[in-house]
Amino acid sequence: MIKWSEFNAAIWRKDGLKGVIDVDYVDINSLVGLEKQKSQLVNNTLNFIEGKGFNHALLWGHKGCGKSSLVKAVFTKFVDRNLRIIEIGVNDLENLPEILDKIRPLKEYKFIIFCDDLSFDSGDRSYKFLKPLLEGSIEKPPRNAVLYATSNRRHLVTESLEDNAIHAREEIDEKLSLSERFGLWISFYEGSFNEYLSIVDEYFKDFKGDKELLHIKARQYAMLRASRSGRIARQFYERYKDEF
């Protein structure tokens, strides 16, 4: 059993929960251009910590736009208030009920269950393992656990014409409504070049050189990768931070 007084984060491995020593803490102030998204998730997490009404959250939208970073940043913001985080992969969801059993009695801590890139292929029924947390069964969901999941798409289960032909309508509706079981949807979109450059400027906040040249290079970098996401801005910074 993990000593949560010693570990702020854990990740599920094949042999159980493993305490994370080198945690990827993220300063929420470093996330530029996400003010609405930050406000939504911070407020929800604060309600969760204070025992008020809260929702499980689905962060969905374009890749590289800060979904995972925001979850880590909100955790970082409240870690000193006994907030902990447990990361579990989609392929390990069958172990979620076991995790919930372990943390349910720990009333002094609150836990974010973090599932990155949550989606299910047609025929994959492992989404059923989310039910004890999202809905409960004869046992209520634990009040000290909240699910924060990220996905590139809002509808988490892929449907095909073949599925519609062979499955009962009730099962199809259940799969398509999976995302609706998250009470909070937070959307992420790739911004304009100006928003992208604002993120670049945040990374290069101590830069004293030619800002116009910096922006030209940053635009070229983004165009080569056909993306203006925060991830691309960070990659540009890592590539050129020692050259400017």
Side-chain angles (χ1 to χ4, degrees):
M1 184 65 181
I2 290 179
K3 293 183 179 180
W4 293 105
S5 59
E6 299 178 7
F7 291 98
N8 294 330
I11 190 168
W12 180 269
R13 301 300 192 195
K14 61 181 180 180
D15 54 348
L17 281 178
K18 171 186 176 293
V20 177
I21 298 174
D22 192 13
V23 180
D24 184 14
Y25 293 109
V26 175
D27 182 358
I28 199 165
N29 295 318
S30 70
L31 302 181
V32 178
L34 298 177
E35 299 312 313
K36 180 179 179 181
Q37 293 91 336
K38 287 193 287 187
S39 177
Q40 288 178 299
L41 200 61
V42 165
N43 289 338
N44 189 68
T45 307
L46 187 59
N47 284 343
F48 170 60
I49 291 172
E50 294 180 347
K52 301 176 182 177
F54 67 91
N55 285 300
H56 303 292
L58 174 63
L59 291 72
W60 71 279
H62 293 161
K63 60 184 180 180
C65 289
K67 301 183 294 293
S68 300
S69 294
L70 180 54
V71 173
K72 290 185 283 188
V74 168
F75 153 68
T76 301
K77 181 178 178 65
F78 293 112
V79 67
D80 290 337
R81 297 190 62 175
N82 278 354
L83 181 64
R84 301 293 184 260
I85 191 167
I86 297 173
E87 182 174 359
I88 184 171
V90 177
N91 295 330
D92 296 317
L93 286 177
E94 64 180 319
N95 301 292
L96 181 57
E98 179 182 341
I99 293 173
L100 298 181
D101 286 344
K102 289 180 180 297
I103 65 176
R104 183 186 292 270
L106 307 179
K107 304 302 183 183
E108 68 271 33
Y109 295 104
K110 300 283 187 175
F111 294 89
I112 294 174
I113 307 297
F114 175 41
C115 189
D116 199 20
D117 197 18
L118 181 66
S119 63
F120 303 94
D121 293 329
S122 178
D124 183 355
R125 296 176 60 83
S126 58
Y127 65 90
K128 295 284 188 179
F129 294 109
L130 292 172
K131 186 175 181 180
L133 183 54
L134 293 178
E135 296 181 347
S137 55
I138 61 170
E139 184 179 38
K140 293 181 179 180
R143 293 295 296 174
N144 65 338
V146 63
L147 176 61
Y148 287 172
T150 71
S151 180
N152 292 336
R153 60 193 188 205
R154 187 177 65 181
H155 295 296
L156 299 172
V157 183
T158 302
E159 282 295 324
S160 66
L161 293 177
E162 180 182 4
D163 291 328
N164 289 330
I166 65 175
H167 290 297
R169 184 74 253 169
E170 290 82 2
E171 183 172 343
I172 296 170
D173 289 342
E174 181 181 20
K175 293 167 73 176
L176 288 176
S177 67
L178 176 60
S179 60
E180 296 176 1
R181 299 174 192 177
F182 291 84
L184 177 60
W185 292 357
I186 303 178
S187 56
F188 292 72
Y189 299 94
E190 189 174 84
S192 65
F193 261 118
N194 285 338
E195 291 170 319
Y196 163 72
L197 293 176
S198 294
I199 301 174
V200 170
D201 287 343
E202 175 63 23
Y203 280 115
F204 285 90
K205 57 188 175 184
D206 297 325
F207 176 65
K208 305 299 183 182
D210 188 337
K211 184 65 71 69
E212 183 177 354
L213 177 60
L214 176 67
H215 285 181
I216 289 173
K217 287 284 189 181
R219 282 176 175 271
Q220 292 173 342
Y221 192 89
M223 291 172 67
L224 285 172
R225 286 151 183 78
S227 174
R228 303 182 301 272
S229 69
R231 178 181 296 164
I232 297 300
R234 185 184 71 247
Q235 291 173 351
F236 172 75
Y237 170 72
E238 294 295 338
R239 168 65 178 81
Y240 288 103
K241 64 182 179 182
D242 296 324
E243 297 186 20
F244 282 97

